[in-house]
Amino acid sequence: MTPTTTVPGPSHAQGPAPARGAAPAVGGGRSGWPLVLGVRHHGPGSARAVRAALEAEKPAAVLVEGPAEADALVALAGDEAMRPPVALLAHAVDDPGRAAFWPMAEFSPEWVAIRWALDRGAAVRFIDLPAAHTLAAADPIRSDGEETGGEDAGSGGLRIDPLAELARAAGHEDPERWWEDAVELRDDADPIAPFEALAEAMGALREVYGHGGHPRDLVREAYMRLQLRAARKEFGDEVAVVCGAWHVPALVRKTTVAADRALLKGLPKVRTELTWVPWTHRRLARRSGYGAGIDAPGWYGHLFAAPDRSVERWMAKVAGLLRAEDHPVSTAHVIEAVRLAESLAALRGRPFPGLDETTDAVRAVLCEGSDVPLDLVRDRLVVGDVLGEVPAGAPAVPLQRDLSRLQRSLRLKPEALERALDLDLRKETDGARSRLLHRLRLLGVDWGAPAAGRAGTGTFREAWRLRWEPELHVQVAEAGVWGTTVESAATAKAASRARAATALADITALAEQCLLAGLADALPVVMRALADRAALDTDVAHLAQALPALARSLRYGDVRATDTTALAEVAAGLAERICVGLPPACAGLDADAAAAMRERIDEVHQALGLLPDAAALADRWAGVLHRLATRDRTPGVLRGRAARLLLDEGRLAEGEAAPLMSRALSPGTPPQDAAAWIDGFVGGASGGGLLLVHDERLLGLVDAWLTSVPAGAFTDVLPLLRRTFSGYEPGVRRTLGELVARGPEAGGPGRSTPGGVPGFATGLDRERADGVLPLLHLILGTEART
């Protein structure tokens, strides 16, 4: 099951909003304990306000909205090796794909509260509904109110966006801009004042829309109230709560223990495991997860880290990035950009330049009005590719620990920013890296994706694109059912896939994966399945589809030191059966089946050249192509393709291609069949256009046939011809047009000769051909032979 990054959390719009003593049930003490601080997740203004409030009141215990089982992991947040953004990951033990994340950035109020408590020696507790209940839901991939409101069809509850409602009440159309002005860019002398004001606003909203607004919120809030009561019994009244502002009115509302327990009765439950995992700013920018969906995590992180002169510091960051990318940016540009951002904020009635103002200033001054460098700024700075780190002692499945060990030993550090990796398989370290990446792909952990390598480097080169995503931790947990190490897990999964495979092509592709991944223990199982399936499959198309993967696999023996003897025997058997069965299998095919068979023929043609006994098979294969090219029952596209392959391999004598084309384009051939022959002969990515450019006899035949097609049939063949010739490079199409427009040249090489094609010569003009030799010698730096 695809893992979910959605967890029960407050509304996307939650923001600092709470209350000390907002109701008599929780009042008391010199400051009105407990201190309930309502926040918006991942808000730097909320985080600063939480830190100031905690520093002012100094509670004995801090309660944080999050899965209750995470209490055992909270101490790791104080480890020096822990660097946000990070996330709590919970997954079902028996079904690791059922998972949920609770992300926290450096500017998340929850993270700030946890670190404050650990630094001051205060107790920390997570008080939200346990993940065991969250993951036991019938469908854990569900909305948690992080987006705009509306009717929730599944529950009948009303889902609203509190931030949008408050912004509308304040007369603002843009909720994000209003929130930035009201909270993120605000600095109050009284650290509690913003929480009290927003708590009152949230209480009014809940009165209008009904307590909770969603049945699942009511359940979660009942559990949080029970945890709050338990904490007050353990630590006294001096307890602070950090939660989504939407929940504040529910936590300070009077209820009975019996009523809260009644709401929790009968909840489903599964066995779960929790750990910390690295997170990224780019993931925070997606609208899913623990109150995530902020559009500018890099900007918010900057506001939190640089509360003073933040605009000046931001412009300096932008200037440094643009300079690194060779954009001419001076100190004067930075000064002018700061002045423009401040002027825009004043004109727009904002207390301080926000992201809109700084972005407009960057575009106008630093980017000189261009959106191209501005897109770079948005990607690298406004969003960013920061990847967090977690301590090595964090709980993890055995497979994850083995993967981490391999990453360290092979110096393959997970990074959020995509990077290229070129491997030379002749080197021991690069070979081990290649095997690791291929094993992970076989396990469904797509950390790396193969990329097009440098041309002409042979089979000992591999190119990869690497990018680590937080969801890969869930994929590793899912793959953990196959084994405790990457090698053993990949071997077990390959063996299981081999036993379950029914298609021959699937087994040959699996054999190729095993060779690339160096899974010697899995190959015997795969080879037995391959031999059994190959012996039973009589469909030539299936055999032709399976052969290319085997042929590619046979190339890996030298570089990867893998014994491919068994594969060579199977491949030779498949090649023999294809040569015998292909001609009758091509007879009488319709257009779609012929097009599919054409692809199979091209693949087999390339594959046979890779087999160990390629020379012995060449003559046999050429005979098969000759039969295909000359049999009338073979579809035109296949006859044309066979003729072209023979021509490319030098298996057609000089001048033999033209008679084949003349026969295919004779007046007795239906125009549709003739067009299909042309498509097979000069269509596709086979250089057919250049062939026509350099062989004017063939071009003349095509031109003469086209001019003879009846008007009624031309509209039928036009789509196929258009597809054939539209695949040529623009320069090739232009040259062909010029040749056809020029026509025969009087007295030149294009003159009409007996037995030739009108307008084109029948033989090679060696005098003209020798005329290019001096230029070739000059280019190649060689000496002409006399």
Side-chain angles (χ1 to χ4, degrees):
M1 179 178 177
T2 303
T4 172
T5 57
T6 301
V7 303
S11 140
H12 170 59
Q14 289 161 350
R20 291 176 306 171
V26 294
R30 66 177 180 86
S31 299
W33 300 101
L35 182 67
V36 185
L37 306 175
V39 300
R40 182 189 188 187
H41 299 303
H42 314 315
S46 296
R48 285 197 303 269
V50 164
R51 183 167 57 190
L54 294 177
E55 192 63 35
E57 302 300 331
K58 296 182 174 54
V62 177
L63 310 184
V64 178
E65 182 183 334
E69 301 98 329
D71 285 350
L73 302 175
V74 71
L76 289 173
D79 194 299
E80 293 183 357
M82 181 77 86
R83 292 177 51 196
V86 293
L88 286 167
L89 165 62
H91 65 85
V93 174
D94 298 328
D95 183 9
R98 300 181 68 85
F101 295 97
W102 286 260
M104 299 182 193
E106 184 180 11
F107 50 86
S108 298
E110 297 86 356
W111 180 260
V112 169
I114 291 171
R115 290 303 303 261
W116 182 90
L118 293 175
D119 291 343
R120 302 300 190 279
V124 183
R125 298 287 187 273
F126 286 96
I127 61 170
D128 203 352
L129 194 68
H133 297 306
T134 301
L135 300 179
D139 182 12
I141 306 178
R142 54 190 178 181
S143 173
D144 290 304
E146 292 142 1
E147 312 239 357
T148 56
E151 291 292 340
D152 190 313
S155 66
L158 186 64
R159 177 66 69 190
I160 68 169
D161 182 351
L163 187 151
E165 295 295 325
L166 294 177
R168 190 178 299 113
H172 289 258
E173 296 181 357
D174 186 349
E176 291 293 333
R177 182 170 175 177
W178 172 82
W179 178 263
E180 196 172 58
D181 288 348
V183 177
E184 304 304 342
L185 303 179
R186 179 173 173 176
D187 187 12
D188 288 281
D190 183 357
I192 308 300
F195 295 109
E196 293 177 336
L198 283 171
E200 182 179 355
M202 290 296 172
L205 281 178
R206 292 187 68 134
E207 287 294 335
V208 173
Y209 291 101
H211 289 292
H214 192 284
R216 190 155 49 85
D217 285 344
L218 300 179
V219 174
R220 295 174 54 221
E221 289 162 356
Y223 188 86
M224 286 192 276
R225 283 193 296 268
L226 292 174
Q227 295 298 98
L228 176 56
R229 291 187 182 99
R232 294 180 70 185
K233 288 182 180 179
E234 182 179 358
F235 302 104
D237 284 338
E238 294 185 353
V239 173
V241 181
V242 178
C243 65
W246 179 253
H247 302 299
V248 171
L251 296 189
V252 299
R253 184 164 55 91
K254 286 184 177 181
T255 60
T256 64
V257 173
D260 288 342
R261 288 178 177 172
L263 288 173
L264 300 171
K265 187 176 181 181
L267 290 179
K269 188 176 183 179
V270 295
R271 193 159 58 97
T272 60
E273 290 181 350
L274 274 77
T275 187
W276 290 102
V277 297
W279 203 251
T280 67
H281 273 184
R282 200 167 295 277
R283 276 300 284 148
L284 286 172
R286 301 182 189 176
R287 290 191 176 274
S288 62
Y290 190 24
I294 55 174
D295 297 324
W299 166 254
Y300 275 12
H302 170 76
L303 289 181
F304 183 75
D308 65 311
R309 307 183 68 83
S310 57
V311 177
E312 291 87 341
R313 297 176 189 273
W314 178 256
M315 294 301 180
K317 279 186 179 181
V318 173
L321 172 64
L322 294 178
R323 285 174 179 171
E325 297 294 331
D326 295 328
H327 290 276
V329 178
S330 67
T331 304
H333 284 94
V334 174
I335 295 172
E336 185 60 29
V338 172
R339 289 174 177 172
L340 179 57
E342 292 174 344
S343 299
L344 288 173
L347 288 172
R348 295 170 181 176
R350 306 193 69 180
F352 194 79
L355 181 59
D356 290 343
E357 286 70 34
T358 55
T359 299
D360 289 343
V362 168
R363 178 192 286 111
V365 180
L366 302 184
C367 299
E368 298 181 342
S370 173
D371 281 343
V372 175
L374 184 64
D375 289 339
L376 178 68
V377 174
R378 285 171 174 155
D379 184 69
R380 298 281 185 85
L381 294 181
V382 177
V383 177
D385 286 294
V386 178
L387 176 65
E389 296 181 8
V390 300
V397 296
L399 182 62
Q400 178 65 63
R401 293 193 178 280
D402 183 61
L403 174 58
S404 300
R405 178 187 62 80
L406 292 172
Q407 288 171 335
R408 290 192 299 269
S409 64
L410 297 177
R411 298 186 298 280
L412 278 178
K413 183 179 180 180
E415 296 177 355
L417 185 64
E418 184 178 281
R419 68 183 182 97
L421 179 66
D422 291 319
L423 300 178
D424 184 344
L425 302 182
R426 296 169 297 183
K427 299 179 180 179
E428 183 178 353
T429 299
D430 281 0
R433 290 173 173 175
S434 172
R435 289 191 293 273
L436 172 62
L437 294 173
H438 281 294
R439 289 169 181 175
L440 291 176
R441 280 178 58 80
L442 197 151
L443 288 170
V445 182
D446 296 327
W447 175 23
R454 289 176 290 179
T457 53
T459 60
F460 59 85
R461 291 276 185 186
E462 277 188 353
W464 293 82
R465 303 294 297 180
L466 301 185
R467 185 172 194 163
W468 187 264
E469 295 282 0
E471 289 83 353
L472 294 178
H473 289 282
V474 177
Q475 296 174 9
V476 172
E478 288 184 285
V481 300
W482 296 105
T484 58
T485 66
V486 175
E487 181 177 5
S488 65
T491 298
K493 186 169 184 179
S496 176
R497 284 178 54 184
R499 298 187 189 98
T502 57
L504 182 59
D506 292 342
I507 305 178
T508 55
L510 180 60
E512 182 180 15
Q513 284 183 291
C514 289
L515 285 172
L516 292 170
L519 301 177
D521 293 340
L523 271 178
V525 180
V526 176
M527 291 309 304
R528 283 196 298 270
L530 176 59
D532 294 343
R533 177 53 57 185
L536 296 175
D537 204 326
T538 58
D539 191 321
V540 175
H542 291 170
L543 300 178
Q545 189 176 9
L547 183 62
L550 286 181
R552 290 192 301 267
S553 301
L554 291 173
R555 298 183 302 166
Y556 305 141
D558 295 338
V559 175
R560 300 176 185 272
T562 304
D563 185 7
T564 57
T565 304
L567 278 178
E569 295 176 358
V570 175
L574 289 182
E576 181 68 22
R577 293 170 62 188
I578 291 171
C579 290
V580 172
L582 187 60
C586 291
L589 297 178
D590 61 19
D592 292 338
M597 186 61 77
R598 169 185 171 174
E599 295 181 7
R600 301 288 86 79
I601 291 175
D602 284 344
E603 292 170 353
V604 170
H605 182 74
Q606 296 177 0
L608 291 177
L610 302 177
L611 296 180
D613 53 349
L617 288 171
D619 293 336
R620 182 71 182 276
W621 180 242
V624 173
L625 294 178
H626 269 290
R627 289 198 294 276
L628 292 177
T630 56
R631 291 181 62 176
D632 293 336
R633 293 185 59 198
T634 302
V637 66
L638 299 183
R639 286 187 284 117
R641 195 67 192 147
R644 177 60 191 278
L645 294 176
L646 288 171
L647 179 65
D648 290 345
E649 294 295 323
R651 296 283 180 168
L652 288 180
E654 183 177 352
E656 193 175 350
L660 281 175
M661 179 178 283
S662 298
R663 178 181 173 186
L665 306 184
S666 63
T669 303
Q672 292 84 353
D673 291 346
W677 194 95
I678 293 175
D679 182 46
F681 188 75
V682 297
S686 56
L690 290 175
L691 176 65
L692 295 179
V693 168
H694 295 292
D695 194 329
E696 294 188 358
R697 291 172 299 171
L698 298 181
L699 177 60
L701 287 170
V702 175
D703 184 45
W705 174 79
L706 277 174
T707 58
S708 66
V709 174
F714 188 78
T715 55
D716 295 331
V717 302
L718 181 60
L720 179 59
L721 293 174
R722 184 180 182 86
R723 184 186 69 186
T724 301
F725 291 101
S726 64
Y728 297 164
E729 294 289 336
V732 173
R733 293 200 302 269
R734 182 173 58 252
T735 303
L736 288 176
E738 293 172 352
L739 290 173
V740 172
R742 184 194 68 189
E745 296 181 4
R751 63 185 182 277
S752 178
T753 56
V757 179
F760 297 94
T762 58
L764 174 66
D765 189 331
R766 295 188 177 276
E767 184 177 352
R768 291 187 68 208
D770 290 342
V772 302
L773 293 179
L775 179 60
L776 288 177
H777 286 302
L778 178 62
I779 294 174
L780 299 176
T782 58
E783 295 183 1
R785 296 181 180 180
T786 56

